[in-house]
Amino acid sequence: MNLLITGGAGFIGSHVVRLFVKNYPNYHIYNLDLLTYAGNLENLKDIENQPNYTFIQGDIANEGFINGLFEKHKFERIIHLAAESHVDRSINDPLAFVKTNIMGTVILLNAFKMLWLDNYTDKLFYHISTDEVYGSLGDSGFFTEDTSYDPNSPYSASKAGSDHFVRAYGETYGLPYIITNCSNNYGPNQFPEKLIPLFINNIIHNKPLPVYGDGNYTRDWLFVIDHARAIDIAFHEGKLGETYNIGGFNEWKNIDLVKLLCAQMDIELQREKGTSEKLITFVKDRPGHDLRYAIDPSKIKNELGWTPSLTFEEGLEKTIRWYLDNEEWLNNVTSGDYQNYYQKQYN
Ligand code: NAD
Ligand code: DAU
């Protein structure tokens, strides 16, 4: 099988690529990634020479290039992760999100459709999406697969748009698809613009921890390798034309999560208890900040047998250890442009 994975040099993509390259020697995995600021081939050093793996650098929003690539490699299945993924960046530059997340997805759908000309036996377009498309919850309730879309940020609007196009290609052209909508991921290799790695990096360097608003926003956290396991299961066992929500019943208010992170970092760095918490600084809120996300993962659990393998405390400990053991990775990605981004975002 020729399997195309887009965005495989990013955070989640690199864990998905590794899992497929290792577990499925009979598949040839093509990793297509533009290598934006978020893409990093260092994430895949351990598998880069495997015979069933090929890396291709390129833009999913470049139609001519994508059509040529599909013609050449005749991809039978696709796992589509490539995206602009950070909410704060989407607030500053929505068009970049429209281009990659909507245009890029439609260009891939078209290329897939043109290649197979409606002969879709054993073919699959698997689209990776997010729980943010459902908008914000109040203090109670969960997102299910039937929750209406109600996106609030340019990022989530662009992901919602891409989901709608995938579904529309299924309805209109019979294109075989699966969509999964996952909650907040954390773990090794996450770019330090997102809450957990940003705060780990700042604690290491004794820099302020910028908590948006009052910190009483809730997210539902899942260890990235458990997400990759869920993608493996949905890819092989999922029903065509279905959506599955992925999450681990693991809600944390930001401020509570940050305090737990501070406590674990103090232990790891052998600093006096309470040292890291002193770095917490409440800053101006994110515009349009969604109050709460929480996934009901019953469908993927009951129908496909997936459950998370780690508790949050275990996952967080592994994550902290990884960042402390991979200081060079962290230093490389936080030099150069990152400093400009940080300055602009946090002033
Ligand atoms: P990421 O930002 O770490 O990685 C995105 C990757 O896509 C990078 O390697 C980047 O180089 C690549 N890319 C960006 N634009 C491209 C383009 N035009 N052409 C080709 N490649 C391009 O993102 P992530 O956190 O790993 O998220 C991956 C996917 O999972 C995204 O679709 C995201 O919406 C979705 N998702 C993320 C989370 C999360 O918590 N991080 C949760 C649910 C769903
Ligand atoms: O829910 C899934 C989504 O989770 C994914 O689709 C996105 O790609 C991913 O980025 C993530 O979005 P969030 O906006 O929830 O993640 P982020 O890490 O940016 O923020 C988590 C929470 O922490 C959120 O309530 C905002 C807050 N925050 C974030 C940063 C970066 C802060 O308080 N301070 C910060 O500096």
Side-chain angles (χ1 to χ4, degrees), residues 6-14 32-40 58-61 80-86 99-101 104 127-131 155 159 180-186 189-191 193-194 221 227:
T6 69
F11 166 48
I12 302 171
S14 61
L32 168 65
D33 197 298
L34 183 58
L35 298 182
T36 66
Y37 77 93
N40 188 346
D59 187 348
I60 59 165
H80 174 36
L81 295 112
E84 288 293 339
S85 69
H86 191 37
K99 187 171 172 242
T100 291
N101 299 359
H127 180 58
I128 304 297
S129 192
T130 169
D131 61 357
Y155 163 69
K159 290 298 288 186
T180 51
N181 297 80
C182 190
S183 62
N184 284 64
N185 284 217
Y186 70 98
N189 305 96
Q190 187 169 30
F191 191 80
E193 62 187 351
K194 309 280 165 62
W221 295 92
H227 186 190

Side-chain angles (χ1 to χ4, degrees), residues 184-205:
N184 284 64
N185 284 217
Y186 70 98
N189 305 96
Q190 187 169 30
F191 191 80
E193 62 187 351
K194 309 280 165 62
L195 180 75
I196 291 180
L198 188 136
F199 280 30
I200 290 175
N201 187 43
N202 283 14
I203 292 171
I204 293 172
H205 296 102

Side-chain angles (χ1 to χ4, degrees), residues 23-215:
N23 290 3
Y24 302 103
N26 295 338
Y27 302 174
H28 195 98
I29 285 102
Y30 293 86
N31 171 12
L32 168 65
D33 197 298
L34 183 58
L35 298 182
T36 66
Y37 77 93
N40 188 346
L41 289 179
E42 287 297 313
N43 296 348
L44 292 164
K45 269 268 169 263
D46 55 325
I47 55 109
E48 68 183 4
N49 294 321
Q50 293 300 309
N52 65 335
Y53 173 71
T54 304
F55 173 70
I56 301 164
Q57 183 170 8
D59 187 348
I60 59 165
N62 179 339
E63 190 176 10
F65 164 73
I66 290 295
N67 290 344
L69 203 65
F70 273 64
E71 195 46 53
K72 183 171 174 199
H73 296 293
K74 312 256 182 295
F75 302 119
E76 293 153 293
R77 293 182 166 225
I78 300 170
I79 306 178
H80 174 36
L81 295 112
E84 288 293 339
S85 69
H86 191 37
V87 173
D88 292 328
R89 289 187 194 251
S90 83
I91 293 166
N92 295 325
D93 185 9
L95 267 182
F97 286 68
V98 173
K99 187 171 172 242
T100 291
N101 299 359
I102 301 183
M103 291 284 290
T105 301
V106 178
I107 285 169
L108 289 172
L109 287 164
N110 264 341
F112 191 68
K113 177 175 171 291
M114 281 195 303
L115 177 63
W116 297 112
L117 295 171
D118 301 340
N119 178 9
Y120 288 128
T121 313
D122 292 331
K123 308 296 182 298
L124 175 65
F125 192 105
Y126 179 177
H127 180 58
I128 304 297
S129 192
T130 169
D131 61 357
E132 298 201 13
V133 296
Y134 298 122
S136 183
L137 290 164
D139 288 334
S140 61
F142 293 94
F143 297 134
T144 73
E145 288 76 4
D146 296 326
T147 304
S148 302
Y149 277 31
D150 190 16
N152 292 315
S153 74
Y155 163 69
S156 53
S158 70
K159 290 298 288 186
S162 66
D163 293 12
H164 288 322
F165 269 104
V166 173
R167 201 168 285 126
Y169 270 64
E171 290 297 320
T172 308
Y173 307 114
L175 188 136
Y177 74 88
I178 289 175
I179 300 174
T180 51
N181 297 80
C182 190
S183 62
N184 284 64
N185 284 217
Y186 70 98
N189 305 96
Q190 187 169 30
F191 191 80
E193 62 187 351
K194 309 280 165 62
L195 180 75
I196 291 180
L198 188 136
F199 280 30
I200 290 175
N201 187 43
N202 283 14
I203 292 171
I204 293 172
H205 296 102
N206 277 308
K207 283 173 62 177
L209 305 177
V211 174
Y212 294 158
D214 59 6

Side-chain angles (χ1 to χ4, degrees), residues 286-303:
R286 172 186 278 176
H289 200 167
D290 286 332
L291 179 68
R292 176 171 165 259
Y293 304 146
I295 285 273
D296 175 355
S298 304
K299 182 174 174 185
I300 191 165
K301 182 169 174 251
N302 297 338
E303 293 185 15

